[in-house]
Structures are given as C-alpha cells and as structure tokens.
Amino acid sequence: MHKAGNPAQPVPLDTSELTEAEKKQTMRKVTWRLVPLLIIGYFISYIDRVNISFAKFGFEDDFNMDAATYGLAAGIFFLGYILAEVPSNIFMVRFGARKWLARIMISWGIVGALMAGAWNSESVIVLRFLLGVAEAGFFPGIILYLTYWYPNRERAKVVATVMMAIPIAGLVGGPLNGWILDTFGGLLGLDAWRWIFLVGGIPAVVLGIVFLFTVSDSPAKAKWLTDRQRTWIASTIAAEDATRSQTAPKGHWAALKNKRVLVLAAVYFLLQCGSYPLIYWLPSVIKGVGPGFDATTIGWLSAIPFLAAAVCMYVVGKTVSTRRPSPPLIIALAVSTLAFAATALLLGSVPMLAFLAVIIATMAIQTSKPLFWNLPTSFLAGVGAASGIALINSLGNAAGFFSPLAFGWIQDATGSSAVSITVMVATNGLAALVVVALMLFGRRKAAGAPAEK
C-alpha cells in the first residue's frame, strides 16, 4: 500500500463539475490576472492615440500648422491602423495572443516616443501613420482574446470594464498633459509638447515586456488555474463557440465578405464619426468657453465628462443583458445625438449649459461602444471571429481618419466649431437607425417571416 504523497501512486485528475461558487471564484481569478493589464494597455494606447490634441498647441507655434493639416495628422493614424488591422489579428491567431499583443505594445511605444523628435508638419504626419500601423490589432485582439476566456454571460461586463480605459484615459490624460505643458517646458532642452509623447510612449514598452511574462494564450496554458478550472472554462467556451459556429461565417474570407459583418462595420463607422471630434477637439472647445484658461485648467475641465462616462459604463456594464443587446445601444446612440446637438446650439450662447450637454453626450457615446461589441461577439466564432472583429474595428475606425479631417475642414470653411459638431454627430442618429433596422430584421427572421432580398 502506497503512502500518501508517494510518487509511485498515480493521482487521478478531479474533473467534477464546478459549483456556482467555484465558477465565480474562477472568473474572479481570471479577471484579476488579465483585466488590469488589459485596462492599463488600452489606457496607454488611448493616451498615445489622442495626446496629439494637447500637442496641437505646440504644432501651431513651432510648425505653423493650420486646422486642416492638424486634422490630417490626427486622422492619418487610422489609415495605417486600417491597413494593418486584419493582418494583425490573423497573425495573433498564428503566433498566440501573449506574444502578439506584447509585440504591439512595444512597437507602438517606440513609435509614440519618437513623436517627440518631430521637426515639421510632414514628420508629424509620417510618424502618426506609423503609430497606426504599430498599434493595429490591439483593440480587436483584446476583444478576440476575451472570447477565449469569458462565457457569453460574462463577456459584456468584462468588455465594458476594459473599455472604461477610454474615459479613464480622458480623465487622467487631460490633467496630465495640461500639467506637462505648463511645467515641462525647457526640461533637458525639450519643448513641453515633446514631453507629452515621451511620457506616453515609454510606459507602453515596459508594459509590453510585463505582458509577455505574465499572461497565458488560453485557459489550457494557464498554470495559475487548477485542472478543474481550466477544464470548465475550456469546455464552456468550446460549447458556446460550437453553437455560434452553426450560423457564423466559416473562415477568414467568409467573415470578411459577410453582410452582417459589413453592416456592423458601417454602424461602428457612424458611431465613431460622432465620437472622435469630441476626443480631438475638446481642449479647443473648452478653451473657447474660457479664453483665459491655462493648459492645466483645460486639462482638468476636459476630465469631467470622462469621469462621468466611466461611472456610466461601469453601471451599464453591470446591469445590461446580453440577450437583447440592441435596445440599450439604440438608447445610448439617441441620447448622444441629442446631447451633441444641444452642445452645438449652446456653444456660443450659454457656455455652462453647453458643457453640461458635453458631459451627457460623452457618457452616452462612450457607453455605446462596449454595448456595440455585444453584437459581433454574439454570432462570430472560430477563425472567422479574428478577421470579422478586425474588419469591423478597422472599417469602423476609418472614421478616425475621416472625422477629424472633415471636422477641421468644416471649421476652417465656416469658422465655427458648432457647425462641425452638428455635421459629425448627426452620424450617431443614423447609426441608431441602422441598429433599429438590424433588430427588426432579426425579429422577422426569428419569427419566420420572409425577408426582403
């Protein structure tokens, strides 16, 4: 008879079903291992993407950059981003999430820091394009990566939690960049706006290295989970993936030409058209409200809408149901449209009410983003999920190129930020209408009604 612990005695694996309490404990363990790093990474990526809005003042002084050129510099990031997005997610499937997401962080951190060395408008434009190429695939990679770990009922909540990095970046990034502009000028012989890019880029490189040695590609490789926990997550995800696979597009090419994927890409494009002008032009709008504000004051005021948005995203993510994802998204888009329209109407006459409208609009538009991602992840599966999610994100983010450029052109032509805001945010209303059409079509199809060709 073998004594306990004798290596000669084989120890059978415990494959019994987890209790509900054990399932919750497992998901908490996964969340604490993965989500903080993903939030920090997404936070840094957003800071590096939008800190150009504060460097804008330095570009105007040093390079005599006009609004249209700034719009091109802000938006061309997304041209590189779009071109490299789908290939990046395909490579992530091939090389593994851990190595590929770490590679993305390190490369965008290097390019972001190099922005500090820009010497004219043309170099800013080139570096912004390369930053887009370097960062491509990070966000859709996160969305895809989360589908490896979280069952359907958990995914909406965790996506909303990770995407809280957007308003948190606005909350922290505004005051941080304003403080850098006011205090870092001349440090080590560098202009203050150059320090914005150094402070944003270097942490991405450090985080990429940490990510490489901390996370696992999938539950099956997670040594920090028990055998029972790994088995439960893997089997649950596999069963849900098998269910979606029955109707999901098969393979990369099928996903890329799927009509539902293309319509969702159009919805995301319209949603983002109304979102990006807020991100890039909010400091300028606040400066117009209070011409005497210094950069630090502008930074703190620009943080208020994002603080409110972070709270809203958290509450909605905790309460929204994944079974009917369309209605909450439609409501969020409708509210953002009305609030942005109020901002445009009140901007020149009642500044405080305009600022209140901006807060409401920011809460609605930022909350609409995690709500939107419940739609594609509810039907995409297998390798098609990698290319489908990447295509939706890349085509949707074409708005990041088009929207700031159009905003700057309209402002130069009309001399009014209000007109630019009105034109851009009307797209949110159109996005809501398209989601309504998708929802009604889905109900007709489920009821067996004949769909129109």
Side-chain angles (χ1 to χ4, degrees):
M1 184 174 180
H2 295 288
K3 295 181 180 180
N6 190 324
Q9 175 67 40
V11 180
L13 293 177
D14 183 357
T15 58
S16 59
E17 177 69 17
L18 298 182
T19 65
E20 285 300 316
E22 288 173 326
K23 291 176 183 178
K24 291 180 180 179
Q25 182 186 28
T26 300
M27 296 318 301
R28 281 196 297 268
K29 186 185 291 188
V30 170
T31 297
W32 279 109
R33 170 69 64 145
L34 302 182
V35 171
L37 288 175
L38 294 177
I39 289 177
I40 295 171
Y42 196 32
F43 168 84
I44 296 173
S45 76
Y46 220 76
I47 289 288
D48 284 349
R49 184 185 302 186
V50 304
N51 56 12
I52 191 175
S53 63
F54 279 85
K56 172 177 180 281
F57 304 123
F59 296 156
E60 290 172 344
D61 292 339
D62 292 357
F63 306 147
N64 196 29
M65 185 180 286
D66 59 24
T69 304
Y70 168 73
L72 175 61
I76 202 169
F77 166 94
F78 292 95
L79 182 58
Y81 191 89
I82 291 165
L83 292 174
E85 185 91 317
V86 173
S88 179
N89 247 31
I90 293 174
F91 284 136
M92 183 177 125
V93 173
R94 178 176 299 179
F95 295 111
R98 179 178 62 87
K99 293 180 180 178
W100 194 252
L101 291 175
R103 191 282 306 164
I104 293 175
M105 293 181 203
I106 293 169
S107 60
W108 102 55
I110 292 172
V111 177
L114 289 175
M115 285 283 295
W119 61 93
N120 57 24
S121 297
E122 289 75 16
S123 63
V124 173
I125 292 170
V126 170
L127 286 169
R128 283 284 295 180
F129 174 80
L130 294 176
L131 183 64
V133 173
E135 191 185 320
F138 185 65
F139 177 71
I142 288 177
I143 296 295
L144 180 63
Y145 187 52
L146 292 175
T147 66
Y148 298 165
W149 292 88
Y150 288 90
N152 292 336
R153 67 179 184 178
E154 301 281 346
R155 196 176 304 127
K157 180 169 60 179
V158 76
V159 169
T161 302
V162 171
M163 292 191 73
M164 283 174 58
I166 301 175
I168 292 172
L171 172 65
V172 177
L176 174 63
N177 287 328
W179 176 69
I180 291 172
L181 287 177
D182 282 341
T183 61
F184 274 49
L187 182 63
L188 300 181
L190 297 176
D191 295 324
W193 66 264
R194 298 183 187 275
W195 279 104
I196 287 177
F197 296 114
L198 288 174
V199 171
I202 294 173
V205 177
V206 175
L207 183 65
I209 296 171
V210 172
F211 195 87
L212 187 63
F213 293 100
T214 304
V215 306
S216 306
D217 284 324
S218 65
K221 297 181 179 180
K223 296 181 179 179
W224 39 273
L225 292 174
T226 67
D227 290 329
R228 294 174 68 229
Q229 290 172 332
R230 284 195 294 268
T231 300
W232 172 71
I233 294 177
S235 61
T236 302
I237 297 298
E240 292 180 350
D241 198 54
T243 299
R244 290 195 300 272
S245 295
Q246 295 176 8
T247 56
K250 306 298 190 295
H252 294 300
W253 177 242
L256 294 177
K257 64 179 183 179
N258 180 268
K259 292 181 180 178
R260 192 172 176 185
V261 169
L262 294 175
V263 171
L264 288 176
V267 171
Y268 201 48
F269 173 84
L270 294 170
L271 186 159
Q272 296 283 54
C273 274
S275 172
Y276 276 108
L278 169 72
I279 301 299
Y280 289 117
W281 299 86
L282 181 59
S284 299
V285 171
I286 293 175
K287 191 173 184 179
V289 173
F293 292 158
D294 60 17
T296 301
T297 302
I298 293 173
W300 281 110
L301 288 175
S302 68
I304 295 175
F306 293 101
L307 174 61
V311 174
C312 185
M313 290 174 73
Y314 179 79
V315 172
V316 172
K318 284 282 189 181
T319 58
V320 72
S321 171
T322 57
R323 294 182 179 180
R324 298 184 62 196
S326 296
L329 174 59
I330 293 167
I331 293 171
L333 289 171
V335 170
S336 70
T337 302
L338 294 174
F340 275 130
T343 301
L345 291 174
L346 298 169
L347 192 59
S349 56
V350 192
M352 289 306 298
L353 287 181
F355 188 61
L356 177 61
V358 164
I359 294 174
I360 296 172
T362 306
M363 293 169 65
I365 194 62
Q366 297 298 345
T367 301
S368 71
K369 294 177 182 179
L371 291 175
F372 168 82
W373 284 106
N374 290 331
L375 300 180
T377 57
S378 67
F379 79 96
L380 289 170
V383 296
S387 48
I389 290 171
L391 182 67
I392 291 169
N393 193 62
S394 60
L395 293 183
N397 274 294
F401 175 77
F402 168 78
S403 188
L405 186 62
F407 194 104
W409 181 84
I410 294 170
Q411 181 170 312
D412 283 344
T414 64
S416 171
S417 295
V419 175
S420 300
I421 293 172
T422 302
V423 172
M424 291 295 99
V425 302
T427 59
N428 283 349
L430 183 55
L433 293 177
V434 176
V435 176
V436 169
L438 278 175
M439 182 177 66
L440 294 177
F441 177 80
R443 288 180 180 177
R444 288 181 60 192
K445 190 174 181 181
E452 294 182 8
K453 298 288 185 181

